[in-house]
Amino acid sequence: MPNDGYFNINTHVGALRSLVTYETKFYFKVSLPFIAGGIVGSMLFTSFLLETLYKGILYMISEKYRRSLGRKKLSTTRQIPRFTVAISLTMTLVYFLYLTVCRAAFDILNCQTTIPSTGIYYMASRPLEKCYIEGSMQSKLTPYAILVIIIYGFGMPGGIGVAFYLLRKRVMADQWLRVHGLGDTFARNKNLTLRKTCGQMYSMYQPQFYLWSTFILIRKLLLCAVGVMFRENPTYQMAGTLSIMFASFIMQVKALPFLDSKE
């Protein structure tokens, strides 16, 4: 019996290890923000269906509810759309996990040879995994890593920059109201839906610096890129990292984009 129990435990542990692999963890990191957004969206959609069903039943059986519903139609009160919660959560997770996801993608491309060199390259994050060999895990994940860097690494700051630039008047108007402690209702702020959807991306900055979050994302991407580009030369790697940080510091001190504590 003890041997059977020990065998069962080893079987379960082995099955768990075969499931939680480097490859599955990579896919999970990349898709985590969208999984969370999808779960929240599904919950909101389910809540909407249940609420609609409940109201439909009340409408059919309750005369009092039908009268109250008629009075509500005369009211001009506007509700915040439900989808803003799912979009806001997804954008928040994408923003804060941006560096983690980009680093996971760059780790796939970060291969180093041995010292002295044997002509064989290994992944820096997984030293026993060979690179540039057909059928290897690194070769299998390389197209996905490149796709993540293009879509996630360059696409997110570019998409946010283009969207905010096209909506700059609305974003700046909403931020001016936020600075003065106003705009929490549709009566005072016609851009309240925009604030609830993606306001976390510009709420910390002065109204004229609504695009500053894109500069922060670009800085994170450059730091990841420098780590991979100069992986074989620590001196250049440190010099590139310090150059990026110093340039970012100078830009921030010069512009002072963040809101003051009083604001």
Side-chain angles (χ1 to χ4, degrees):
M1 290 297 293
N3 292 335
D4 292 340
Y6 182 76
F7 177 76
N8 291 332
I9 292 174
N10 283 342
T11 302
H12 292 308
V13 171
L16 183 62
R17 287 179 178 176
S18 63
L19 181 63
V20 185
T21 61
Y22 186 92
E23 186 175 352
T24 55
K25 288 189 288 186
F26 170 77
Y27 291 135
F28 180 75
K29 286 179 182 179
V30 171
S31 57
L32 179 60
F34 306 101
I35 292 175
I39 292 174
V40 174
S42 300
M43 293 174 62
L44 292 174
F45 183 70
T46 303
S47 174
F48 170 74
L49 290 180
L50 293 175
E51 184 178 346
T52 303
L53 179 62
Y54 176 72
K55 289 182 178 179
I57 295 173
L58 280 181
Y59 185 83
M60 290 186 292
I61 65 177
S62 175
E63 178 68 25
K64 182 178 179 181
Y65 178 76
R66 287 195 293 269
R67 292 177 181 176
S68 65
L69 192 62
R71 289 193 295 269
K72 286 182 180 180
K73 288 182 179 180
L74 299 176
S75 175
T76 57
T77 304
R78 185 180 173 187
Q79 301 293 330
I80 299 175
R82 296 173 183 266
F83 67 85
T84 58
V85 179
I87 296 177
S88 177
L89 176 63
T90 303
M91 291 191 66
T92 301
L93 287 173
V94 168
Y95 181 80
F96 285 105
L97 293 176
Y98 180 82
L99 182 59
T100 302
V101 174
C102 290
R103 183 178 295 171
F106 277 114
D107 282 342
I108 304 298
L109 306 177
N110 189 5
C111 296
Q112 297 179 353
T113 187
T114 57
I115 301 176
S117 178
T118 59
I120 301 176
Y121 287 82
Y122 296 88
M123 291 179 60
S125 59
R126 197 174 178 86
L128 298 180
E129 188 67 32
K130 295 181 180 180
C131 298
Y132 315 125
I133 296 178
E134 185 177 357
S136 66
M137 183 191 68
Q138 191 271 343
S139 299
K140 181 180 178 181
L141 293 179
T142 294
Y144 299 104
I146 295 174
L147 195 63
V148 168
I149 293 172
I150 293 174
I151 296 178
Y152 202 99
F154 294 98
M156 184 184 175
I160 292 175
V162 171
F164 281 6
Y165 180 77
L166 295 176
L167 299 172
R168 59 188 180 280
K169 293 183 179 179
R170 295 178 58 186
V171 171
M172 293 178 67
D174 175 60
Q175 190 64 351
W176 277 113
L177 291 174
R178 186 197 297 271
V179 169
H180 292 88
L182 303 174
D184 293 329
T185 61
F186 280 106
R188 292 189 174 185
N189 184 8
K190 62 181 181 180
N191 299 312
L192 184 59
T193 301
L194 179 65
R195 175 187 293 190
K196 296 296 183 180
T197 303
C198 53
Q200 72 277 10
M201 301 299 295
Y202 59 83
S203 61
M204 298 178 291
Y205 312 110
Q206 300 283 350
Q208 65 271 28
F209 294 108
Y210 58 90
L211 288 176
W212 199 260
S213 60
T214 61
F215 290 104
I216 294 178
L217 293 177
I218 292 172
R219 181 188 66 189
K220 293 179 179 180
L221 182 64
L222 290 177
L223 289 174
C224 288
V226 165
V228 175
M229 291 170 56
F230 303 111
R231 59 182 179 268
E232 297 180 356
N233 196 322
T235 303
Y236 285 173
Q237 191 178 71
M238 180 179 293
T241 301
L242 290 177
S243 299
I244 294 171
M245 297 303 298
F246 183 73
S248 301
F249 176 74
I250 294 299
M251 291 174 62
Q252 182 169 321
V253 172
K254 187 75 174 178
L256 296 176
F258 289 92
L259 291 173
D260 186 78
S261 58
K262 295 180 180 179
E263 295 168 326

